[in-house]
Amino acid sequence: MAALASIEDPDEDARLAAIVDELRDAEEEIAVLEAVKVAQLAGAMRIALRRMEGKHATQRAREMELRSIAAEIGAAVRWSDRVAQSRMSDALDLVERFPATIDALTTGRITARHAAVIQDAGCVLTDESDRAAFEQVVLEWAAAETVARTRDYARGLAEHLHPESITTRFERAEKARTVTLSELHDGLAKLEIIGPTTLLHGIHDRLTQQARAIRAATAHPDAVEAESELVPADSVVVDTRTLDQIRADLVCDMLLTGQPAIDHTTDILPGGLGAIRASVQVTVPALTAAGIADRGASIDGTSPIDADTARQLMGTAPGWDRILTHPITGMVLTVDRYRPGTILERFLAARDIHCRFPGCRQPARRCDHDHNLDWALGGRTTAGNLACLCKRHHTLKTETEWTAAQEPDGTIRWTSPLHRRYTDKAPPRVAFVPDADPPPF
């Protein structure tokens, strides 16, 4: 990398640094304008509501006041009146129920998309003090994180504060499970499934494993990646489909025939694709596992699941990890297991949850275990020098000038080729305490 750096154009680095600065400034300016737009939409909604109050004898006549104003705005800014009406309603809700979020948007601390995910996650909180506490905690997170990570964190915290348990909500929501078909274009259609989170995550994971096995078994010898050790050296069958295309074909094959119509893996995998089973990381707090509480269970740290399903998964799992966390910070302190295994790898999966490159959410179970300070340079194989990185970001760190240094609490300080520093903190865990105790924040 030193040789590469010596031939780089310093003027080009300066131009790139200026581009990054201008993009950051532009994002802040756009956020300020988005806040102005929200305020104007909320103002229009207030006018519509005032005009609707008791002015007309019928509900339809009152509704026309709102529709008329929405149509006025839609015509001016090239939205449909339905879109304008929906955005007016969302804007008023954001202004009135999430004032701290509006303040953060007005000052450019967060983007409009951050504000939207905070509103979406926090809308279930009916208690004003709970919602204010939720905003305070999530905004600190959102100011330094991507929209996707903010969404995961906000959902987890809102789940903890939700006035109704997820078990009760799941029992009600599960009745809405369905399969729908909608026509697209050019001879395509879309099949959508709404069902339990655990089952659909499992389906997607199994399809991904099967698709990867097919690609490994049908790759051209010259194109076989290092990870594909299952491929015979003299393989001549070439499958040019993408991973998404193979997943789609597998769904059609298995739903129509009960198993994949073509299985190139039967010679190299016992049982072929039919032997592949889904694998997901399920986190269950101790009180929920014991049946004392029913909150906090999740898949890959992103999708809350009901307590009954979590306990069923625990009961049928070949083994399970016990994760001890700090009572205040939620930092993972240690991991042990009912059955033996690689302790360090389990610790990393429990601590990191996902890839530790800023903004990435690839689950830890699909990541490599990277030495922050390379082993060849004296880096030790310890938790304090290891982190989960997906293949994309592992390769980026290995083959470019991006560097990572880990602090004792698991925080990773990344340094870019422009010598800019970015912080990725170990994913926090919401502490679930008895109702009699005060919230941890």
Side-chain angles (χ1 to χ4, degrees):
M1 299 311 301
L4 176 62
S6 65
I7 62 173
E8 290 179 349
D9 182 357
D11 291 337
E12 190 173 73
D13 276 355
R15 290 195 298 273
L16 180 57
I19 288 172
V20 173
D21 287 337
E22 290 178 12
L23 284 172
R24 182 189 59 207
D25 293 343
E27 279 289 288
E28 292 181 358
E29 292 173 7
I30 290 171
V32 173
L33 291 174
E34 289 284 358
V36 171
K37 185 167 71 173
V38 168
Q40 298 301 331
L41 288 169
M45 189 66 181
R46 287 194 181 102
I47 292 174
L49 292 175
R50 183 175 56 79
R51 291 184 177 181
M52 292 169 65
E53 290 178 359
K55 186 176 180 180
H56 302 286
T58 65
Q59 176 63 33
R60 179 174 178 81
R62 290 192 291 271
E63 182 82 10
M64 287 304 107
E65 291 285 0
L66 176 58
R67 291 188 188 181
S68 177
I69 292 177
E72 183 76 45
I73 292 174
V77 298
R78 297 184 297 278
W79 297 343
S80 73
D81 61 300
R82 290 180 180 272
V83 169
Q85 185 172 328
S86 175
R87 291 181 179 176
M88 288 163 59
S89 177
D90 289 343
L92 184 61
D93 178 78
L94 186 59
V95 168
E96 293 188 342
R97 300 178 71 219
F98 298 88
T101 301
I102 286 293
D103 289 343
L105 184 62
T106 302
T107 58
R109 288 179 58 212
I110 62 172
T111 69
R113 292 180 62 207
H114 284 93
V117 301
I118 293 172
Q119 180 183 21
D120 181 63
C123 67
V124 298
L125 303 177
T126 56
D127 183 84
E128 187 173 341
S129 60
D130 283 350
R131 197 164 57 246
F134 164 84
E135 271 193 289
Q136 179 183 355
V137 175
V138 175
L139 283 171
E140 291 182 8
W141 180 256
E145 281 293 356
T146 62
V147 171
R149 285 193 179 180
T150 299
R151 180 186 296 110
D152 293 341
Y153 183 64
R155 284 177 176 174
L157 185 57
E159 176 60 38
H160 173 50
L161 297 171
H162 200 291
E164 191 176 29
S165 75
I166 190 172
T167 299
T168 301
R169 285 179 283 130
F170 174 74
E171 290 173 354
R172 181 172 60 247
E174 189 184 24
K175 297 176 183 177
R177 60 190 184 278
T178 185
V179 177
T180 58
L181 178 68
S182 56
E183 299 296 332
L184 298 177
H185 51 77
D186 299 333
L188 296 179
K190 179 168 65 175
L191 186 71
E192 292 183 296
I193 305 174
I194 296 178
T197 295
T198 49
L199 298 183
L200 297 191
H201 271 266
I203 288 170
H204 188 269
D205 183 77
R206 188 181 183 209
L207 288 171
T208 299
Q209 292 185 57
Q210 291 176 321
R212 291 188 187 280
I214 287 175
R215 292 191 68 180
T218 59
H220 190 277
D222 295 336
V224 175
E225 297 181 1
E227 63 183 90
S228 305
E229 299 177 356
L230 300 174
V231 183
D234 58 349
S235 173
V236 295
V237 180
V238 179
D239 193 330
T240 60
R241 294 177 296 174
T242 66
L243 206 62
D244 280 334
Q245 290 169 344
I246 297 175
R247 273 192 290 247
D249 292 344
L250 283 169
V251 169
C252 294
D253 288 345
M254 288 191 285
L255 290 181
L256 292 173
T257 69
Q259 61 183 8
I262 301 175
D263 187 349
H264 298 294
T265 69
T266 52
D267 295 334
I268 56 176
L269 288 176
L273 299 181
I276 294 177
R277 294 294 178 263
S279 174
V280 295
Q281 179 176 333
V282 179
T283 301
V284 187
L287 292 179
T288 299
I292 299 173
D294 62 357
R295 296 175 183 268
S298 67
I299 289 180
D300 290 331
T302 62
S303 303
I305 61 174
D306 65 288
D308 289 338
T309 298
R311 285 190 283 265
Q312 285 181 355
L313 291 172
M314 287 187 64
T316 57
W320 48 270
D321 293 329
R322 181 179 65 158
I323 303 171
L324 301 181
T325 61
H326 191 282
I328 303 299
T329 66
M331 172 64 186
V332 176
L333 300 176
T334 187
V335 175
D336 58 28
R337 191 172 174 85
Y338 172 68
R339 296 189 180 180
T342 306
I343 296 175
L344 186 56
E345 291 183 358
R346 293 201 301 272
F347 177 89
L348 293 172
R351 183 196 67 184
D352 292 350
I353 300 180
H354 49 59
C355 171
R356 295 297 306 283
F357 190 83
C360 186
R361 296 164 63 242
Q362 188 70 240
R365 56 193 165 82
R366 296 179 186 165
C367 292
D368 299 332
H369 298 129
D370 172 70
H371 288 75
N372 300 146
L373 175 60
D374 193 76
W375 183 83
L377 300 177
R380 299 175 60 194
T381 306
T382 63
N385 189 49
L386 288 171
C388 295
L389 291 183
C390 67
K391 292 191 179 298
R392 174 185 177 86
H393 294 126
H394 191 176
T395 303
L396 180 74
K397 176 177 172 292
T398 301
E399 299 187 10
T400 72
E401 292 183 72
W402 279 91
T403 61
Q406 187 174 154
E407 297 186 355
D409 65 353
T411 296
I412 297 180
R413 306 288 183 187
W414 287 88
T415 302
S416 76
L418 293 178
H419 306 293
R420 298 179 181 231
R421 289 181 169 81
Y422 302 91
T423 300
D424 188 83
K425 296 183 178 180
R429 294 177 180 273
V430 177
F432 293 87
V433 296
D435 291 341
D437 293 340
F441 51 85

Short mmCIF file of all heavy atoms in Angstrom, two decimals, residues 263-290:
data_model
loop_
_atom_site.label_atom_id
_atom_site.label_comp_id
_atom_site.label_asym_id
_atom_site.label_seq_id
_atom_site.Cartn_x
_atom_site.Cartn_y
_atom_site.Cartn_z
N ASP A 263 -30.97 -30.11 -9.51
CA ASP A 263 -30.10 -30.00 -8.33
C ASP A 263 -28.71 -30.48 -8.72
O ASP A 263 -28.45 -31.67 -8.80
CB ASP A 263 -30.67 -30.84 -7.19
CG ASP A 263 -29.89 -30.64 -5.90
OD1 ASP A 263 -28.81 -30.03 -5.94
OD2 ASP A 263 -30.37 -31.11 -4.85
N HIS A 264 -27.81 -29.51 -9.01
CA HIS A 264 -26.45 -29.86 -9.42
C HIS A 264 -25.56 -30.26 -8.24
O HIS A 264 -24.40 -30.61 -8.44
CB HIS A 264 -25.79 -28.65 -10.13
CG HIS A 264 -26.49 -28.23 -11.38
ND1 HIS A 264 -26.55 -29.01 -12.50
CD2 HIS A 264 -27.18 -27.09 -11.66
CE1 HIS A 264 -27.24 -28.37 -13.45
NE2 HIS A 264 -27.63 -27.21 -12.95
N THR A 265 -26.08 -30.19 -7.03
CA THR A 265 -25.23 -30.39 -5.85
C THR A 265 -25.31 -31.79 -5.26
O THR A 265 -24.65 -32.08 -4.27
CB THR A 265 -25.62 -29.39 -4.75
OG1 THR A 265 -26.92 -29.74 -4.24
CG2 THR A 265 -25.66 -27.97 -5.27
N THR A 266 -26.11 -32.66 -5.86
CA THR A 266 -26.33 -33.98 -5.23
C THR A 266 -25.05 -34.80 -5.15
O THR A 266 -24.91 -35.65 -4.27
CB THR A 266 -27.39 -34.77 -6.01
OG1 THR A 266 -27.02 -34.78 -7.41
CG2 THR A 266 -28.75 -34.13 -5.86
N ASP A 267 -24.11 -34.56 -6.07
CA ASP A 267 -22.86 -35.33 -6.05
C ASP A 267 -21.85 -34.82 -5.03
O ASP A 267 -20.90 -35.52 -4.69
CB ASP A 267 -22.20 -35.32 -7.44
CG ASP A 267 -23.05 -36.04 -8.49
OD1 ASP A 267 -23.83 -36.93 -8.08
OD2 ASP A 267 -22.94 -35.69 -9.67
N ILE A 268 -22.03 -33.60 -4.58
CA ILE A 268 -21.03 -33.02 -3.68
C ILE A 268 -21.60 -32.66 -2.31
O ILE A 268 -20.84 -32.37 -1.40
CB ILE A 268 -20.40 -31.76 -4.31
CG1 ILE A 268 -21.49 -30.74 -4.66
CG2 ILE A 268 -19.60 -32.10 -5.53
CD1 ILE A 268 -20.93 -29.44 -5.19
N LEU A 269 -22.92 -32.67 -2.18
CA LEU A 269 -23.54 -32.41 -0.88
C LEU A 269 -24.44 -33.59 -0.53
O LEU A 269 -25.29 -33.96 -1.33
CB LEU A 269 -24.39 -31.13 -0.92
CG LEU A 269 -23.66 -29.79 -0.98
CD1 LEU A 269 -24.68 -28.67 -1.10
CD2 LEU A 269 -22.81 -29.59 0.26
N PRO A 270 -24.29 -34.17 0.63
CA PRO A 270 -25.19 -35.26 1.05
C PRO A 270 -26.64 -34.77 1.04
O PRO A 270 -26.99 -33.83 1.73
CB PRO A 270 -24.71 -35.57 2.47
CG PRO A 270 -23.31 -35.07 2.53
CD PRO A 270 -23.27 -33.87 1.64
N GLY A 271 -27.45 -35.39 0.20
CA GLY A 271 -28.84 -34.98 0.14
C GLY A 271 -29.09 -33.79 -0.76
O GLY A 271 -30.24 -33.40 -0.98
N GLY A 272 -28.02 -33.20 -1.32
CA GLY A 272 -28.19 -32.06 -2.21
C GLY A 272 -28.81 -30.86 -1.52
O GLY A 272 -28.68 -30.67 -0.31
N LEU A 273 -29.53 -30.04 -2.29
CA LEU A 273 -30.11 -28.82 -1.74
C LEU A 273 -31.16 -29.11 -0.68
O LEU A 273 -31.39 -28.31 0.22
CB LEU A 273 -30.73 -27.99 -2.85
CG LEU A 273 -29.78 -27.50 -3.95
CD1 LEU A 273 -30.55 -26.68 -4.97
CD2 LEU A 273 -28.64 -26.70 -3.36
N GLY A 274 -31.81 -30.26 -0.78
CA GLY A 274 -32.83 -30.60 0.20
C GLY A 274 -32.29 -30.77 1.60
O GLY A 274 -33.04 -30.71 2.57
N ALA A 275 -30.97 -30.97 1.72
CA ALA A 275 -30.37 -31.17 3.04
C ALA A 275 -30.03 -29.85 3.72
O ALA A 275 -29.69 -29.84 4.90
CB ALA A 275 -29.10 -32.03 2.92
N ILE A 276 -30.09 -28.76 2.98
CA ILE A 276 -29.73 -27.46 3.55
C ILE A 276 -30.86 -26.94 4.42
O ILE A 276 -32.02 -26.93 4.01
CB ILE A 276 -29.41 -26.45 2.44
CG1 ILE A 276 -28.14 -26.89 1.69
CG2 ILE A 276 -29.23 -25.04 3.00
CD1 ILE A 276 -27.77 -26.01 0.53
N ARG A 277 -30.51 -26.50 5.62
CA ARG A 277 -31.48 -25.94 6.54
C ARG A 277 -31.13 -24.50 6.88
O ARG A 277 -29.95 -24.13 6.88
CB ARG A 277 -31.55 -26.78 7.83
CG ARG A 277 -32.09 -28.18 7.60
CD ARG A 277 -33.56 -28.13 7.17
NE ARG A 277 -34.10 -29.46 6.89
CZ ARG A 277 -34.18 -29.98 5.68
NH1 ARG A 277 -33.74 -29.30 4.63
NH2 ARG A 277 -34.69 -31.18 5.50
N ALA A 278 -32.13 -23.73 7.16
CA ALA A 278 -31.92 -22.31 7.44
C ALA A 278 -31.14 -22.12 8.74
O ALA A 278 -31.21 -22.92 9.65
CB ALA A 278 -33.26 -21.59 7.53
N SER A 279 -30.40 -21.01 8.79
CA SER A 279 -29.64 -20.66 9.98
C SER A 279 -29.81 -19.18 10.25
O SER A 279 -29.50 -18.36 9.39
CB SER A 279 -28.16 -20.99 9.80
OG SER A 279 -27.40 -20.53 10.88
N VAL A 280 -30.33 -18.83 11.43
CA VAL A 280 -30.47 -17.44 11.82
C VAL A 280 -29.99 -17.28 13.25
O VAL A 280 -29.97 -18.24 14.01
CB VAL A 280 -31.93 -16.93 11.70
CG1 VAL A 280 -32.38 -16.93 10.26
CG2 VAL A 280 -32.86 -17.78 12.55
N GLN A 281 -29.58 -16.07 13.60
CA GLN A 281 -29.13 -15.80 14.96
C GLN A 281 -30.28 -15.20 15.75
O GLN A 281 -30.79 -14.13 15.44
CB GLN A 281 -27.96 -14.81 14.96
CG GLN A 281 -27.45 -14.48 16.36
CD GLN A 281 -26.22 -13.59 16.32
OE1 GLN A 281 -25.45 -13.61 15.37
NE2 GLN A 281 -26.02 -12.81 17.37
N VAL A 282 -30.72 -15.91 16.78
CA VAL A 282 -31.84 -15.47 17.61
C VAL A 282 -31.31 -15.04 18.97
O VAL A 282 -30.56 -15.77 19.61
CB VAL A 282 -32.87 -16.59 17.79
CG1 VAL A 282 -34.03 -16.12 18.67
CG2 VAL A 282 -33.40 -17.05 16.44
N THR A 283 -31.67 -13.83 19.39
CA THR A 283 -31.28 -13.32 20.70
C THR A 283 -32.50 -13.32 21.61
O THR A 283 -33.54 -12.77 21.25
CB THR A 283 -30.73 -11.88 20.57
OG1 THR A 283 -29.60 -11.89 19.68
CG2 THR A 283 -30.30 -11.35 21.93
N VAL A 284 -32.34 -13.92 22.79
CA VAL A 284 -33.46 -14.02 23.74
C VAL A 284 -32.96 -13.60 25.12
O VAL A 284 -32.07 -14.25 25.68
CB VAL A 284 -34.02 -15.46 23.81
CG1 VAL A 284 -35.28 -15.48 24.67
CG2 VAL A 284 -34.28 -16.02 22.43
N PRO A 285 -33.51 -12.53 25.71
CA PRO A 285 -33.11 -12.15 27.08
C PRO A 285 -33.43 -13.27 28.06
O PRO A 285 -34.36 -14.05 27.86
CB PRO A 285 -33.97 -10.91 27.36
CG PRO A 285 -34.31 -10.38 26.01
CD PRO A 285 -34.45 -11.57 25.12
N ALA A 286 -32.67 -13.33 29.14
CA ALA A 286 -32.81 -14.41 30.11
C ALA A 286 -34.22 -14.47 30.70
O ALA A 286 -34.79 -15.55 30.86
CB ALA A 286 -31.78 -14.24 31.23
N LEU A 287 -34.79 -13.31 31.04
CA LEU A 287 -36.12 -13.31 31.63
C LEU A 287 -37.17 -13.82 30.65
O LEU A 287 -38.11 -14.52 31.03
CB LEU A 287 -36.49 -11.90 32.11
CG LEU A 287 -35.68 -11.35 33.29
CD1 LEU A 287 -36.14 -9.94 33.64
CD2 LEU A 287 -35.80 -12.27 34.50
N THR A 288 -37.00 -13.50 29.37
CA THR A 288 -37.93 -14.00 28.36
C THR A 288 -37.75 -15.50 28.17
O THR A 288 -38.72 -16.24 28.04
CB THR A 288 -37.70 -13.27 27.02
OG1 THR A 288 -37.93 -11.87 27.22
CG2 THR A 288 -38.62 -13.78 25.94
N ALA A 289 -36.50 -15.95 28.18
CA ALA A 289 -36.23 -17.39 28.04
C ALA A 289 -36.85 -18.17 29.19
O ALA A 289 -37.33 -19.30 29.01
CB ALA A 289 -34.73 -17.64 27.98
N ALA A 290 -36.85 -17.56 30.36
CA ALA A 290 -37.38 -18.26 31.54
C ALA A 290 -38.90 -18.16 31.64
O ALA A 290 -39.49 -18.76 32.53
CB ALA A 290 -36.74 -17.66 32.80
#
